[in-house]
């Protein structure tokens, strides 16, 4: 969304006040209209992780409920940016909607776990990124079957911010309650982020060329699935596979980095 001028920000804040404090239905509708494009934006970015049989219209439908929930719960008096908060809520609503409709069966998650373990084990043994053939041999499947697993497990890489987390059932709370929005980062967080960036740069540099390009275009250039597919002259499903493979490699590296910190 386009950046607002100081005058536009003041006008938008006035709408929040008119709706939240004065109950203006007109102001509410104006805010919904203003932020509705966020739903399409999140849906387009989320699509890269989804099988072709998932209807984008379903995502948009789930996302709209997420937007309405974000609008209702947002505290405009804290001076925080609504777009960032809303995109988390919209994405979480989309993922929750997919889960409720059985898009992520346990068998798919089991496959994802086995692949992550294969990458971790082989990389530790070889001291380098394993090839598709080496992972296939380790798992006892063909490369074609491995590619299908990457495609099927795309949804398994997503996390819902509304999912209950915690050690004990009675102590579990929604994941989004742990999200902190602080204007000034703590020194230990700055050091950790710096270390994490170094790890990511190193791992990304070691990715196969096509996977590295997909990661760059998606996360740094913010291109959509279709745009990346067109640039690389590949099908959208192939781009999804490459993205999933890159995530598995990155997650494996981050798991080792986390264990070293602990």
């Amino acid at each position: 969304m386009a950046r607002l001028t100081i005058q536009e920000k003041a006008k938008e804040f006035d709408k929040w006040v008119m709706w939240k404090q004065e109950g203006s239905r007109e102001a509410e509708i104006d805010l919904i209209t203003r932020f509705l494009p966020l739903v399409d934006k999140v849906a387009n970015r989320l699509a890269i992780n989804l099988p072709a049989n998932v209807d984008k219209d379903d995502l948009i439908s789930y996302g709209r409920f997420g937007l309405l929930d974000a609008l209702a719960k947002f505290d405009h008096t804290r001076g925080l940016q609504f777009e960032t908060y809303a995109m988390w809520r919209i994405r979480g609503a989309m993922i929750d909607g997919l889960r409720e409709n059985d898009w992520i069966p346990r068998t798919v998650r089991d496959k994802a776990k086995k692949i992550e373990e294969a990458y971790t084990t082989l990389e530790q043994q070889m001291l380098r990124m394993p090839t598709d053939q080496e992972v296939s041999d380790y798992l006892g499947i063909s490369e074609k079957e491995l590619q299908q697993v990457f495609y099927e497990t795309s949804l398994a890489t997503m996390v819902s911010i509304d999912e209950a987390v915690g050690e004990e059932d009675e102590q579990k709370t929604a994941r989004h309650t742990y999200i902190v929005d602080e204007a000034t980062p703590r020194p230990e967080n700055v050091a950790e982020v710096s270390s994490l960036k170094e790890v990511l740069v190193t791992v990304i540099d070691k990715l196969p060329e096509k996977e590295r390009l997909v990661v760059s275009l998606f996360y740094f250039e913010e291109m959509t699935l279709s745009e990346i597919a067109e640039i690389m002259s590949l099908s959208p499903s192939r781009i999804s596979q490459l993205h999933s493979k890159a995530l598995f490699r990155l997650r494996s590296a981050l798991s080792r980095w986390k264990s070293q910190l602990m």
Side-chain angles (χ1 to χ4, degrees):
M1 300 179 72
R3 292 182 179 275
L4 299 179
T5 64
I6 295 177
Q7 292 79 5
E8 289 172 331
K9 287 182 178 179
K11 186 176 180 181
E12 183 176 293
F13 182 79
D14 287 342
K15 289 186 181 296
W16 281 105
V17 173
M18 291 170 62
W19 174 38
K20 294 280 190 174
Q21 298 175 209
E22 300 174 13
S24 171
R25 175 62 175 166
E26 181 179 353
E28 179 186 8
I29 293 175
D30 286 344
L31 287 170
I32 292 173
T33 303
R34 151 93 170 122
F35 295 112
L36 197 57
L38 289 176
V39 177
D40 285 328
K41 182 176 181 179
V42 175
N44 287 333
R45 289 184 61 77
L46 195 59
I48 195 171
N49 285 321
L50 302 177
N53 62 326
V54 176
D55 194 337
K56 183 181 173 182
D57 288 340
D58 288 338
L59 286 180
I60 292 175
S61 178
Y62 303 142
R64 286 173 178 168
F65 283 108
L67 174 62
L68 294 176
D69 186 52
L71 285 164
K73 295 179 179 178
F74 183 67
D75 184 355
H76 66 288
T77 63
R78 296 179 61 190
L80 304 178
Q81 186 175 11
F82 176 73
E83 286 91 334
T84 302
Y85 171 75
M87 289 178 72
W88 276 101
R89 302 293 300 184
I90 292 168
R91 180 183 171 87
M94 289 179 179
I95 296 172
D96 288 341
L98 293 173
R99 283 177 168 172
E100 289 174 5
N101 285 279
D102 243 356
W103 288 112
I104 316 177
R106 178 171 293 277
T107 54
V108 172
R109 295 189 179 279
D110 289 342
K111 289 178 181 179
K113 184 177 181 180
K114 288 181 180 178
I115 290 178
E116 289 180 24
E117 291 174 349
Y119 271 108
T120 301
T121 300
L122 291 176
E123 191 170 344
Q124 290 175 346
Q125 292 176 354
M126 301 174 176
L127 300 179
R128 62 171 174 80
M129 292 286 190
T131 64
D132 289 352
Q133 183 62 60
E134 289 167 340
V135 175
S136 299
D137 292 342
Y138 181 85
L139 293 172
I141 60 178
S142 67
E143 282 195 61
K144 183 177 181 180
E145 290 173 314
L146 180 65
Q147 298 302 325
Q148 182 61 31
V149 171
F150 283 133
Y151 185 64
E152 292 176 349
T153 56
S154 296
L155 278 176
T157 63
M158 299 187 297
V159 176
S160 170
I161 63 170
D162 291 318
E163 180 180 2
V165 294
E167 296 296 329
E168 303 293 338
D169 289 342
E170 61 272 15
Q171 296 178 349
K172 287 186 175 182
T173 185
R175 191 185 302 275
H176 66 77
T177 61
Y178 295 101
I179 298 175
V180 179
D181 190 348
E182 298 178 341
T184 304
R186 298 175 182 175
E188 62 270 25
N189 291 341
V190 173
E192 183 175 336
V193 169
S194 177
S195 178
L196 174 58
K197 286 181 178 178
E198 291 179 5
V199 173
L200 285 174
V201 168
T202 300
V203 177
I204 291 174
D205 284 343
K206 292 181 180 179
L207 290 175
E209 183 178 357
K210 289 183 179 179
E211 291 178 32
R212 188 167 63 250
L213 180 57
V214 169
V215 169
S216 176
L217 294 177
F218 183 67
Y219 291 103
F220 297 99
E221 300 300 329
E222 296 190 352
M223 291 187 176
T224 64
L225 171 65
S226 299
E227 291 170 339
I228 297 174
E230 184 176 352
I231 288 176
M232 297 182 65
S233 299
L234 297 172
S235 67
S237 61
R238 177 57 177 155
I239 297 298
S240 179
Q241 291 173 353
L242 290 170
H243 179 262
S244 295
K245 288 164 64 178
L247 287 186
F248 279 120
R249 298 184 200 273
L250 292 173
R251 291 174 68 181
S252 174
L254 292 178
S255 294
R256 293 197 308 278
W257 172 78
K258 183 178 180 180
S259 65
Q260 291 171 359
L261 286 181
M262 298 298 290

